[in-house]
Amino acid sequence: MSADNILLEVKNLKKYFPVHKGILRRVVAHVKAVDDLDLYIKEGETLGLVGESGCGKTTTGRTMLRLIEPTEGEILFHSKKLAGPGEEYKEVDIASASRKLLKSLRRDMQIIFQDPYSSLNPRMAVGAIVGEPLLVYGVAKGREWEDRVRKLLDAVGLNPDYMTRYPHEFSGGQRQRIGIARALALEPQLIVADEPVSALDVSIQAQVINLLEDLQQRFGLTYLFIAHDLSVIKHISNRVAVMYLGKIVELADTEQLFSNPRHPYTEALMSAVPVPDPDHNVDRLILKGDVPSPVNPPSGCYFHPRCRYAQEICRKQTPVYRQLNGGHFVMCHLTEELDLQPVRQG
């Protein structure tokens, strides 16, 4: 691995979806789902990606894996499996990789989908679902294939004898465990967990999160953990990136972000975190207005129409994504002038 231990680095990533109109289906505009994004993920860490629904979190994760084709930018991945003799890793730009190279990279990168129901083929038995990657890549077959599938099911807390059952015979939490086992099959370096617990009951959420943490320790995994629940993000993440309208507006170590938020949007998100104390009064910061359209985002700072601190410079000039101290990055003109409130504790 590189000297600074970076596994994946994204530079100037953009994903614009065309808007068509008329009989001739002319392109009249673009939805700027991911708009000039920069971030990196260190080997062995969990980077939390948080923001409102529709801000571009899922599109970011899928574009990083090139499940969605990027419009522009670089996605640099440090692959150990593709390293040659004498090399510790091989740096590959996922954005420009050929189909053949991309197939090889798939062994290093996997995804856990949000919906544990639609992400599993109802016509395939659990063993076939979990073991399909092993067959596609010729990793194992026959008795060895069966043994590996049974070990994967056991690793995620499922009875190996369940491999002959079908998805409809399982609960939501069990189905998500099947999805996790499938993601582990090829021993990846990076897993994108796309809101893996948002569709589950609260008690089951805790079990799945604990499972993901245990698997990370056992197999040396790196996670991009996408969620909109700050309580989950705080529990599982080493660093947190806050996303708004296709841009990262703040990124910092988890403890630093929650104790010292430096962007008004982060402050507003934190004020919405529920506190398990009926005697604790919370002054929620209600954001005015609606999220602007990604087809026609505001001038200057994208957040200024909803920001209670907005000044003239915010309306006219786009803020620079800059480093404050250590690994704390923020995109705001007024960071040094604001006295923002950290997340409230019970």
Side-chain angles (χ1 to χ4, degrees):
M1 190 55 55
S2 56
D4 47 9
N5 219 32
I6 292 176
L7 178 64
L8 183 140
E9 186 173 9
V10 174
K11 298 180 179 179
N12 308 116
L13 183 66
K14 296 180 181 180
K15 179 56 189 176
Y16 295 173
F17 293 98
V19 178
H20 300 278
K21 188 176 182 181
I23 298 175
L24 300 178
R25 307 294 292 163
R26 293 181 297 107
V27 176
V28 296
H30 287 88
V31 176
K32 298 179 179 181
V34 181
D35 193 11
D36 202 17
L37 184 145
D38 292 281
L39 61 79
Y40 60 89
I41 305 175
K42 299 177 184 178
E43 184 182 26
E45 79 165 343
T46 298
L47 175 65
L49 184 60
V50 67
E52 291 172 288
S53 296
C55 71
K57 304 186 299 296
T58 293
T59 302
T60 297
R62 295 192 179 195
T63 304
M64 283 182 182
L65 303 183
R66 230 178 101 181
L67 297 178
I68 298 175
E69 290 291 331
T71 302
E72 191 178 310
E74 293 179 293
I75 309 166
L76 305 177
F77 184 77
H78 294 166
S79 172
K80 289 184 176 179
K81 293 189 177 80
L82 296 180
E87 292 182 323
E88 188 178 356
Y89 68 91
K90 180 177 180 180
E91 184 178 274
V92 181
D93 184 1
I94 298 172
S96 60
S98 65
R99 281 183 172 273
K100 182 178 180 180
L101 178 56
L102 194 59
K103 183 179 179 181
S104 298
L105 283 168
R106 296 286 185 221
R107 296 186 61 173
D108 283 328
M109 308 176 299
Q110 292 293 314
I111 185 169
I112 301 169
F113 294 99
Q114 177 178 358
D115 187 353
Y117 294 88
S118 62
S119 61
L120 302 180
N121 189 334
R123 301 189 180 206
M124 294 176 66
V126 167
I129 291 172
V130 173
E132 186 175 26
L134 301 174
L135 296 176
V136 170
Y137 282 87
V139 175
K141 60 182 179 180
R143 182 69 182 181
E144 183 186 357
W145 175 87
E146 182 179 340
D147 289 342
R148 291 189 66 158
V149 171
R150 295 176 73 88
K151 287 180 180 179
L152 286 165
L153 291 175
D154 182 64
V156 298
L158 292 176
N159 189 330
D161 292 335
Y162 289 171
M163 65 184 295
T164 57
R165 297 187 181 183
Y166 287 81
H168 72 270
E169 301 179 68
F170 296 89
S171 67
Q174 289 174 319
R175 291 188 191 204
Q176 196 61 291
R177 289 173 185 265
I178 295 168
I180 294 170
R182 177 177 58 186
L184 291 173
L186 294 174
E187 300 177 353
Q189 292 177 250
L190 172 69
I191 291 181
V192 173
D194 183 12
E195 304 214 30
V197 298
S198 64
L200 307 178
D201 293 338
V202 175
S203 60
I204 306 301
Q205 286 184 11
Q207 294 176 21
V208 173
I209 290 170
N210 290 336
L211 171 64
L212 289 172
E213 290 181 318
D214 177 58
L215 293 172
Q216 184 175 39
Q217 294 297 319
R218 289 169 61 186
F219 300 109
L221 300 171
T222 301
Y223 292 142
L224 173 65
F225 194 95
I226 299 170
H228 59 265
D229 187 333
L230 275 171
S231 300
V232 172
I233 286 288
K234 183 179 181 181
H235 176 78
I236 198 170
S237 303
N238 302 108
R239 292 186 302 134
V240 180
V242 180
M243 194 167 188
Y244 184 78
L245 212 63
K247 293 182 178 290
I248 299 295
V249 296
E250 187 165 7
L251 187 151
D253 290 342
T254 302
E255 184 177 345
Q256 187 175 22
L257 185 86
F258 278 78
S259 63
N260 186 30
R262 302 312 306 149
H263 195 283
Y265 179 60
T266 309
E267 179 192 36
L269 287 181
M270 289 183 174
S271 77
V273 175
V275 177
D277 182 357
D279 298 323
H280 186 87
N281 295 321
V282 177
D283 297 326
R284 287 200 55 188
L285 303 178
I286 307 299
L287 295 177
K288 58 185 180 181
D290 297 320
V291 179
S293 170
V295 176
N296 185 27
S299 60
C301 174
Y302 283 4
F303 187 60
H304 87 257
R306 307 175 72 195
C307 180
R308 59 177 180 163
Y309 306 107
Q311 298 181 9
E312 192 62 26
I313 188 174
C314 306
R315 301 178 179 89
K316 293 182 177 179
Q317 186 175 327
T318 302
V320 176
Y321 185 65
R322 56 199 172 96
Q323 185 171 359
L324 298 180
N325 52 70
H328 201 149
F329 297 83
V330 69
M331 182 182 284
C332 179
H333 291 297
L334 310 174
T335 296
E336 285 79 5
E337 305 170 24
L338 302 180
D339 182 21
L340 305 183
Q341 298 301 312
V343 65
R344 287 130 175 101
Q345 304 291 339

